[in-house]
Amino acid sequence: MEPLIVSSSPHVYSKDTTARIMLDVVLALLPAAAAGVYFFGGRAALIMVISVLSAVMTEAIVQKLMKKPVTISDWSAVVTGLMLAFNLPPTVPLWLPVVGSAIAIALVKQAFGGLGHNFMNPALAARAILLAAWPVYMTTWADPIHGAMGAVNAAASADAVSSATPLAILKGLEGTQEQLPPLWSIIVGGTRGCLGETSDLALLLGAAYLLWRRVISWRIPFSFISTVALLTWVLGPQGLFTGNAIYHIFSGGLILGAFYMATDYSSSPVTPKGQIIMGIGCGIITSIIRLYGGYPEGVTYSILLMNVAAPLIDRFTMPRIYGEVRADV
Amino acid sequence: MGLKVFGFKGGVHPLHRKEGTQDKAVERMQAPKLVYIPLQQHIGAPCEPLVKPGDRVKLGQKIGQPKGFVGAPVHASVSGVVKEIRQVPHPAMGQGLAVVIENDGMDEPDESIAPKNLESLGVEELRDLILEAGIVGMGGAAFPTHVKLSPPKDRKIDTVILNGAECEPYLTADHRLMVENPQDVVDGLKAIMKVLGVERGYIAIEDNKPDAIRAISDAVKSVPGAKVVQLKTKYPQGAEKQLIYAVTGRQVPSGGLPMDVGVVVNNVGTGGGVAQPKNLLVRIGTTFRDVIDACGGLVGQPAKVISGGPMMGIAQYTLDVPVIKGTSGILVLTKQEAETPEPGPCIRCGRCVEACPMGLMPLFISAYALKGDYDNSERLHAMDCIECGCCSYICPAKRPLVQSVRTAKRVITERRRRAAAN
């Protein structure tokens, strides 16, 4: 008889694996990816493919060089590549996603120890670096080929002009005279913006799937979005309680950021209370940047700043253990 | 039923896999030719043997006497002749001294096991009877029952809970006991309530055993102050501290015992790799091999043999270990079922934090333990871990969480012991 396996209990495991969780995130992003292609055309698809491929290749090359096991089959590099593409305007030159993916994987993820050790969301950190290095490429918005803004502005603008996003219009930036697009087009898609953030409807569909699969919890997205809604409504441009909270919720990258980026496991707190603090913190910073800062959009920086605070938040929000006798009680 | 259903925070929902045996009546297994009765079947010091090779023993005769208060005597489970006293494989300790008895098949009972009338016995008599009978708990430690029933004077006990949760997957022995012998279970509760002078008794059962809840509810009507509590089906519902919280809303203080909150918990009372999974009534000292043969033998190569359930049971290195008092089931897993997954890096998903019924953060305790930083493991309450295994079960990266916490606990205990000695 073969020797019996002797190991410490438990002897059974749940079916969930790291790879399955990452695959779930990819599946959840597909409707929004499809919406990106529908509204921005074949170039959007090209950017996504290039971004994903270069992310996966960077991971394999770096792991080979560092003589570590190559773990590209865990889908995590695919998630990062796709997330990065979602955060790029559809007009960027095709080498930009290559550089971005290399930064995200090599610098932000692998240099700090790989999966689970990155202290910032890799895709967002890469976006921030790209935005600083190539600000013009990163803020040149194309008009969608379908949708409200496309139809309204198609005659006036060429394919790639630095036209305003709804948030820029909301903020009154660049002396723009453009009208805000109708709310339905902001929710369904077809306004200017990054590839993946155009259709909130598609993003929410994927988010519902992630919540149902329990890949993410409601804590970070819910607290993030409600904080933004509250602050942008209270601190309105014409005085207290005059803000346009609905437009703030559905414009820009809030839905994408709240459900898919701020919920990144490695760079967000693990404690339930900590996750709510993370969401509220992101909401406050996003609102301040959007209302008073130099940029029309603040989701990226708010998440990155709260990423850095996550270890500290974990430390101060340790759950009360069963039967704990606290000195102060 | 109209009963309120109680639960606790955290926990996991493994497939309960009780279909194989939950409707199978308990069968009496024929006593084997040889029984191996370990002299240590519970925490505490081992028993001194009261017999020597060549002695004839009767069924139920005391053959081992404990040296300390925390201990319970062991008895012969067959009548026959003591062949030898030697080291045998032990299901919880690797090796242990055991009395080997050759069964003469007569089942000649010892005088001491005559049935007594519960009503006519005094409290002290009853407690002595429980001590002499060597009754122990069915939890991992097999804690002697008489110790639980002798609380210090300054501890006021007001509640007794019988634990019929049986939350481990596969196991159905307690379930069948409650369905088939509800009166015995209720009599046990009555005896414990009498010894402790307690008015309030609960029998807690998970709501996936409606037939057991029905049977016990009927039987318990005769006992004033006693009732059935329906629990949510969730692992580890049967863990003592989680059970106490679910039933009474009280929390056992960190480092404390249930009696600190006035509660005493007692237990009410066998997978894929065997041909006919069964619920068997087995003589103590029967080897796992004999029990498995009684279930129609093995199907193919066994990869893992577990004493207990799959969440907290102990993997065995041989089939020659004997059944002891605390053996709640024998589980044989096939190669496919026993596969230990390759661990990956922690992705900080926080599922272990959500699953921990003690409110700990397994990922951090484990990370410190793996680095040898046991001080920080201790600071994060490693010693409060009840080793239920929820964290390792739920971990998508398949990290050895509870396993490394266990290592930390052992080191910390050792350090405390040494510090106390100095």
Side-chain angles (χ1 to χ4, degrees):
Chain A
M1 190 170 98
E2 275 179 52
L4 295 171
I5 300 171
V6 179
S7 63
S8 195
S9 64
H11 307 288
V12 287
Y13 296 90
S14 67
K15 281 203 205 75
D16 274 332
T17 60
T18 301
R20 177 66 223 216
I21 289 173
M22 297 300 163
L23 179 62
D24 271 339
V25 178
V26 174
L27 292 176
L29 288 171
L30 287 182
V37 176
Y38 174 78
F39 289 114
F40 296 113
R43 193 174 170 84
L46 197 58
I47 291 170
M48 285 189 262
V49 170
I50 291 174
S51 186
V52 168
L53 284 180
S54 36
V56 172
M57 280 171 61
T58 309
E59 177 125 307
I61 292 167
V62 171
Q63 286 180 327
K64 272 256 185 278
L65 289 177
M66 293 168 85
K67 300 194 167 48
K68 289 210 269 181
V70 175
T71 57
I72 52 174
S73 59
D74 70 11
W75 289 90
S76 66
V78 177
V79 170
T80 301
L82 202 52
M83 293 266 204
L84 176 71
F86 271 37
N87 280 286
L88 298 175
T91 55
V92 291
L94 296 179
W95 53 264
L96 204 74
V98 179
V99 176
S101 285
I103 292 171
I105 298 291
L107 191 68
V108 188
K109 185 179 175 189
Q110 289 299 335
F112 287 92
L115 184 64
H117 296 284
N118 49 288
F119 69 101
M120 278 183 176
N121 183 314
L124 276 187
R127 173 189 144 96
I129 292 172
L130 294 180
L131 190 60
W134 294 283
V136 176
Y137 289 143
M138 289 297 286
T139 54
T140 303
W141 313 104
D143 279 326
I145 52 180
H146 294 98
M149 273 191 155
V152 172
N153 300 306
S157 57
D159 209 23
V161 289
S162 180
S163 43
T165 62
L167 276 178
I169 300 168
L170 206 56
K171 196 163 189 168
L173 277 187
E174 301 169 32
T176 176
Q177 300 302 308
E178 284 184 67
Q179 289 293 304
L180 270 175
L183 186 62
W184 65 264
S185 75
I186 286 186
I187 295 174
V188 174
T191 55
R192 292 180 204 115
C194 292
L195 275 185
E197 65 188 29
T198 180
S199 173
D200 291 319
L201 194 66
L203 286 168
L204 287 171
L205 198 68
Y209 173 74
L210 290 183
L211 283 167
W212 173 67
R213 290 278 302 159
R214 293 178 178 234
V215 170
I216 60 171
S217 84
W218 57 271
R219 293 185 204 101
I220 294 176
F222 182 79
S223 53
F224 191 167
I225 294 169
S226 4
T227 305
V228 171
L230 187 72
L231 289 180
T232 54
W233 173 56
V234 173
L235 306 172
Q238 276 92 46
L240 289 183
F241 310 110
T242 62
N244 198 340
I246 302 289
Y247 267 81
H248 271 288
I249 291 174
F250 293 106
S251 305
L254 183 58
I255 300 292
L256 177 64
F259 284 100
Y260 298 89
M261 320 285 271
T263 52
D264 172 46
Y265 292 150
S266 310
S267 51
S268 64
V270 293
T271 64
K273 225 189 274 172
Q275 292 170 353
I276 291 173
I277 295 175
M278 164 99 183
I280 294 173
C282 286
I284 293 174
I285 301 173
T286 298
S287 305
I288 291 175
I289 297 178
R290 280 190 180 183
L291 297 172
Y292 308 111
Y295 288 104
E297 173 63 305
V299 171
T300 303
Y301 292 110
S302 75
I303 296 173
L304 290 175
L305 282 168
M306 291 309 289
N307 283 166
V308 182
L312 204 64
I313 297 174
D314 269 340
R315 179 170 250 215
F316 288 111
T317 55
M318 271 175 40
R320 184 188 170 279
I321 76 158
Y322 176 109
E324 184 170 7
V325 189
R326 288 227 162 128
D328 50 87
V329 178
Chain B
M1 283 259 128
L3 284 173
K4 202 173 160 226
V5 181
F6 297 86
F8 63 98
K9 184 183 149 291
V12 296
H13 295 93
L15 289 176
H16 64 79
R17 301 197 185 259
K18 295 177 191 277
E19 314 77 43
T21 54
Q22 67 183 7
D23 297 324
K24 287 192 182 162
V26 176
E27 293 172 43
R28 221 170 251 274
M29 182 186 153
Q30 211 195 335
K33 285 264 173 307
L34 286 172
V35 292
Y36 305 80
I37 300 177
L39 286 163
Q40 179 160 26
Q41 303 198 14
H42 33 71
I43 59 164
C47 289
E48 293 283 347
L50 298 174
V51 291
K52 54 187 189 305
D55 284 1
R56 181 174 152 70
V57 294
K58 294 180 185 170
L59 173 65
Q61 182 182 332
K62 186 157 81 174
I63 57 173
Q65 178 70 26
K67 277 179 289 190
F69 176 65
V70 180
V74 295
H75 302 75
S77 59
V78 295
S79 63
V81 176
V82 176
K83 230 181 114 196
E84 53 189 336
I85 298 176
R86 64 169 168 93
Q87 293 285 328
V88 300
H90 188 284
M93 305 188 313
Q95 287 271 318
L97 206 59
V99 177
V100 185
I101 304 170
E102 194 160 9
N103 183 7
D104 62 10
M106 317 259 282
D107 277 352
E108 189 189 335
D110 192 68
E111 297 72 26
S112 67
I113 60 171
K116 308 254 187 328
N117 187 340
L118 180 59
E119 311 299 334
S120 64
L121 288 167
V123 169
E124 285 310 316
E125 270 178 294
L126 203 51
R127 188 179 293 142
D128 287 343
L129 212 58
I130 290 168
L131 164 65
E132 277 307 304
I135 297 173
V136 301
M138 294 295 282
F143 201 79
T145 302
H146 71 93
V147 180
K148 284 192 191 179
L149 300 186
S150 314
K153 290 261 178 315
D154 60 330
R155 296 275 191 263
K156 181 89 191 81
I157 305 294
D158 62 10
T159 305
V160 170
I161 305 171
L162 284 199
N163 183 355
E166 198 165 58
C167 55
E168 276 269 10
Y170 292 102
L171 304 188
T172 56
D174 288 352
H175 182 175
R176 293 311 305 177
L177 174 68
M178 292 187 285
V179 171
E180 295 175 35
N181 304 74
Q183 195 54 49
D184 289 355
V185 175
V186 169
D187 285 346
L189 177 65
K190 228 153 78 178
I192 296 169
M193 287 169 69
K194 185 168 176 179
V195 172
L196 289 169
V198 162
E199 317 260 278
R200 215 169 12 192
Y202 298 107
I203 301 179
I205 310 172
E206 278 192 345
D207 60 5
N208 63 350
K209 306 173 189 58
D211 48 349
I213 293 173
R214 262 196 307 276
I216 296 284
S217 297
D218 281 345
V220 86
K221 280 184 194 134
S222 62
V223 187
K227 64 173 185 183
V228 169
V229 178
Q230 196 170 337
L231 304 171
K232 272 186 218 153
T233 299
K234 183 160 81 163
Y235 180 87
Q237 187 62 265
E240 195 165 65
K241 293 177 176 180
Q242 280 59 41
L243 182 68
I244 291 171
Y245 180 72
V247 174
T248 67
R250 302 179 194 168
Q251 294 199 350
V252 180
S254 173
L257 289 169
M259 63 182 174
D260 296 338
V261 289
V263 180
V264 166
V265 181
N266 277 283
N267 201 281
V268 297
T270 293
V274 297
Q276 302 147 346
K278 284 178 181 175
N279 290 300
L280 289 174
L281 189 61
V282 176
R283 306 284 177 109
I284 301 284
T286 307
T287 62
F288 281 26
R289 188 183 303 282
D290 287 340
V291 176
I292 291 167
D293 283 344
C295 291
L298 296 163
V299 178
Q301 276 285 339
K304 207 179 224 182
V305 175
I306 298 161
S307 166
M311 294 298 289
M312 288 188 77
I314 302 170
Q316 303 296 320
Y317 63 94
T318 165
L319 293 176
D320 296 321
V321 289
V323 169
I324 60 173
K325 290 178 192 171
T327 309
S328 52
I330 299 173
L331 193 58
V332 181
L333 298 183
T334 59
K335 195 152 199 150
Q336 200 193 346
E337 291 170 308
E339 205 91 31
T340 312
E342 202 51 43
C346 171
I347 56 171
R348 289 174 46 96
C349 62
R351 287 173 193 212
C352 54
V353 177
E354 245 172 291
C356 181
M358 294 302 292
L360 309 180
M361 303 210 282
L363 76 163
F364 294 133
I365 302 177
S366 166
Y368 283 127
L370 291 173
K371 279 194 286 185
D373 183 354
Y374 298 113
D375 290 339
N376 267 316
S377 295
E378 189 174 7
R379 184 176 59 80
L380 294 176
H381 307 286
M383 293 309 285
D384 283 283
C385 170
I386 58 168
E387 303 182 25
C388 64
C390 286
C391 50
S392 293
Y393 172 83
I394 205 77
C395 180
K398 310 298 166 201
R399 298 190 61 72
L401 293 167
V402 71
Q403 293 89 337
S404 54
V405 177
R406 232 178 244 139
T407 310
K409 283 177 73 176
R410 210 170 309 143
V411 175
I412 296 165
T413 308
E414 181 61 22
R415 281 184 185 176
R416 285 183 182 178
R417 209 175 51 80
R418 243 182 280 146
N422 287 336

